[in-house]
Amino acid sequence: MIDPDILILAIVDMSEGVKALVGDKGAKAVLRDAGRESGPKLLESIMGHFPEVLDKEEALRRTCIMLKDLGFAEVISKEDGKILIEEDIFTDAIVGENVGDSPVIYFFAGLIEGFVSFMSDQKVTLIPDTVDRGRIIYKYS
């Protein structure tokens, strides 16, 4: 079995490789879309068909709980139009000081968006507001 920390490092390094290949904006778009596609598939593999359709706010609330329970971060909460993430698995794996420039932040946003789309018939878009090592704040609409 592969060590989960090695897998996270590989995902972060892969995101930097995509950035080198298609540029910064292209990498952010590709990785957000990858998260949007993988989120529903991950949820479906865990729970099968979702039994109800939720509104966007409830889907976001449940997404925060599930991602925390799955180990993506120590804290994931929804408050005042923002998603607050602390002690996440991605920012600690980013090499260098400018953590906010890593396209893996957009993969995480897309993953959240994908979870919400699986549970809701409404769309949500997350925009990174503050990104530091161990702390991400996304605004959502």
Side-chain angles (χ1 to χ4, degrees):
M1 187 71 140
I2 189 164
D3 181 334
D5 291 335
I6 297 299
L7 187 56
I8 297 304
L9 288 171
I11 290 170
V12 170
D13 289 343
M14 178 269 311
S15 75
E16 293 300 323
V18 172
K19 183 177 175 178
L21 184 64
V22 298
D24 185 52
K25 288 182 181 180
K28 289 174 181 176
V30 165
L31 287 163
R32 178 189 295 275
D33 198 47
R36 284 179 180 156
E37 291 293 320
S38 64
K41 290 176 181 168
L42 174 59
L43 268 180
E44 187 173 25
S45 71
I46 293 169
M47 63 182 6
H49 176 72
F50 198 71
E52 59 186 310
V53 177
L54 305 173
D55 67 53
K56 177 173 70 174
E57 293 296 320
E58 180 61 16
L60 271 167
R61 188 186 74 76
R62 290 191 191 184
T63 293
C64 292
I65 292 167
M66 284 189 269
L67 287 172
K68 181 185 178 301
D69 288 347
L70 289 170
F72 281 89
E74 290 294 318
V75 174
I76 304 179
S77 61
K78 177 184 89 62
E79 48 194 60
D80 301 324
K82 294 181 180 182
I83 303 294
L84 170 66
I85 301 170
E86 294 180 341
E87 301 305 319
D88 67 285
I89 60 172
F90 293 115
T91 58
D92 280 341
I94 297 169
V95 176
E97 294 302 314
N98 205 350
V99 177
D101 283 344
S102 177
V104 79
I105 302 306
Y106 288 84
F107 173 77
F108 204 5
L111 190 65
I112 295 167
E113 293 165 356
F115 270 49
V116 171
S117 74
F118 185 78
M119 294 184 278
S120 174
D121 59 1
Q122 296 174 307
K123 191 175 179 181
V124 66
T125 301
L126 277 70
I127 304 297
D129 183 48
T130 305
V131 180
D132 297 305
R133 197 166 304 282
R135 181 177 171 88
I136 306 169
I137 299 174
Y138 294 108
K139 289 182 180 177
Y140 70 86
S141 57

